[in-house]
Amino acid sequence: IFGISYVVASAYARWRTASDPVNGTWRLPTAQEWELAAAGPAGRVYPWGNSFDGERIRCRGGKDSEQEYWRAVSDLPGGASLAGSLQMAGNVWEFARSPNSQDWIEFRGGSFGDDRNWARVAARGGYVPRIVDAYQGVRLVVAPAEVR
């Protein structure tokens, strides 16, 4: 999901939790969870490794960089992380929960409008919670009911 604010993303996670047929808890990942899913335990620069590969990423200088918008995460399966997460670098900036989430929201991973230096796992930025931008999106995590 892209082009939404942190406030809407949080509301969507609450709605998914309330609507989940198996009572899972849906939420935004913490910054640490996001980074582990993207970089793995070794802390890779990009989800697939430490070298830029334009065929694996949606950013300026990457695959279809002349396209001026995001792509479905499944369009570039070669960009998967060790955890199997797709498009954790480039495509859209993704929100991460942080302790300061009242005033400033962290987002991670770069977007389709960024170059290779910003579209990497360690890239981070921030906004106020109500800003809506086509370059930002959300990835949710779910905890099964028995783990709650």
Side-chain angles (χ1 to χ4, degrees):
I1 299 172
F2 76 101
I4 63 173
S5 70
Y6 179 86
V7 172
V8 172
S10 296
Y12 176 67
R14 288 190 301 275
W15 175 82
R16 286 293 305 257
T17 295
S19 305
D20 193 306
V22 295
N23 297 319
T25 300
W26 294 78
R27 61 177 175 76
L28 294 164
T30 65
Q32 293 81 14
E33 289 169 331
W34 190 96
E35 190 151 344
L36 183 59
R44 294 172 163 192
V45 174
Y46 297 97
W48 57 85
N50 292 322
S51 299
F52 181 79
D53 181 345
E55 292 297 308
R56 297 175 184 241
I57 190 169
R58 176 75 184 93
C59 71
R60 281 188 296 139
K63 182 109 172 126
D64 299 329
S65 59
E66 73 283 350
Q67 212 182 22
E68 295 190 17
Y69 227 46
W70 60 273
R71 292 178 64 153
V73 294
S74 59
D75 282 356
L76 296 172
S81 70
L82 285 173
S85 299
L86 298 169
Q87 292 295 306
M88 298 288 289
N91 210 25
V92 296
W93 286 100
E94 296 181 0
F95 296 119
R97 285 187 316 148
S98 63
N100 315 347
S101 60
Q102 297 290 330
D103 303 320
W104 191 252
I105 302 309
E106 184 175 337
F107 50 78
R108 307 292 301 267
S111 78
F112 60 89
D114 294 308
D115 65 21
R116 70 173 67 188
N117 296 314
W118 281 102
R120 56 189 172 80
V121 172
R124 64 191 71 197
Y127 273 148
V128 294
R130 296 192 181 278
I131 297 269
V132 175
D133 189 319
Y135 292 87
Q136 66 194 30
V138 63
R139 179 181 305 260
L140 297 179
V141 296
V142 62
E146 64 272 4
V147 176
R148 286 191 203 177

